[in-house]
């Protein structure tokens, strides 16, 4: 049976933004892994995880960054970025960046909850903000930041055996990383980690 939007809302209903996302992102990680893989201190950032309500079911919206952006060039990502001084909360960051990057306005998004902050090896603590988009509008990619916008059916991501886990090694310390493949899209890195967290919670 497909996962419903109401089920996801129920799962995330009581989630909150941590007071210290940087600490939350590193919580429980071994000290040798942190020192080998992460640039400290982690800077606060946020992404929107947009769940699009399509006639055939929910999809997850993703983007491919252009090859000339400063961070994560060419990678598959959620819309988002670093927290700026004018952002009241990290939720504000995620919504602002989504409008800037793909033209998804805040009033089209219903925020239904949050995932724990994730550490990114480029030096960020990324808060995933999960939003439901009931009537998906036409989106426009920012030409300087986003090369492609695409959607993956949630039902496909939830199929058993879809995700794979690899281990990257640096200075003798292994870092488990997730990967999902959909058509010609390879989703890996922090984006796949966030996806795995969401899928684990709602499955």
């Amino acid at each position: 049976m497909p996962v419903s939007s109401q089920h996801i809302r129920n799962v995330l209903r009581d989630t909150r933004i941590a007071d210290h996302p940087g600490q939350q992102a590193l919580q429980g990680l071994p000290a040798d892994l942190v020192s080998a893989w992460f640039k400290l201190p982690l800077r606060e950032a946020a992404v929107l995880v947009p769940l699009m309500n399509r006639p055939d079911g929910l999809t997850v919206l993703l983007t491919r960054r252009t090859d000339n952006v400063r961070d994560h060039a060419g990678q598959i990502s959620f819309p988002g970025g670093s927290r700026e001084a004018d952002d009241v909360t990290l939720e504000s960051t995620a919504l602002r960046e989504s409008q800037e990057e793909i033209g998804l306005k805040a009033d089209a998004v219903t925020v239904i909850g949050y995932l724990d902050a994730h550490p990114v090896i480029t030096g960020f603590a990324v808060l995933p903000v999960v939003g439901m988009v009931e009537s998906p509008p036409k989106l426009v990619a920012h030409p300087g930041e986003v090369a492609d916008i695409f959607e993956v059916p949630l039902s496909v991501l939830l199929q058993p055996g879809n995700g794979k886990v690899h281990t990257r090694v640096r200075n003798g310390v292994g870092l488990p990383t997730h990967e999902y493949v959909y058509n010609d899209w390879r989703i890996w890195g922090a984006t796949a980690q966030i996806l795995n967290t969401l899928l684990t919670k709602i499955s």
Side-chain angles (χ1 to χ4, degrees), residues 98-104 137-143 146 148-149:
S98 296
Q99 181 163 342
E100 292 176 1
E101 291 183 8
I102 61 174
L104 181 57
K138 182 178 180 180
L139 302 175
V140 179
H142 185 294
V146 176
D148 295 289
I149 302 170

Side-chain angles (χ1 to χ4, degrees), residues 2-15:
V3 172
S4 68
S5 60
Q6 188 58 53
H7 171 71
I8 300 172
R9 290 172 187 268
N10 291 341
V11 169
L12 299 177
R13 177 179 294 142
D14 296 325
T15 56

Side-chain angles (χ1 to χ4, degrees), residues 19-61:
D19 291 334
H20 303 286
Q23 294 178 14
Q24 183 186 61
L26 297 175
Q27 188 173 355
L29 296 181
D32 61 341
L33 187 148
V34 172
S35 61
W37 281 97
F38 298 102
K39 298 178 182 178
L40 302 179
L42 299 178
R43 293 176 287 165
E44 290 188 358
V47 297
L48 182 68
V49 182
L51 301 178
M52 316 293 276
N53 192 0
R54 298 294 186 184
D56 294 333
L58 294 173
T59 66
V60 181
L61 182 144

Side-chain angles (χ1 to χ4, degrees), residues 156-174:
V156 171
L157 292 169
L158 285 166
Q159 288 176 356
N162 189 307
K164 298 180 180 179
V165 180
H166 306 281
T167 299
R168 301 169 64 186
V169 178
R170 176 185 290 173
N171 298 329
V173 181

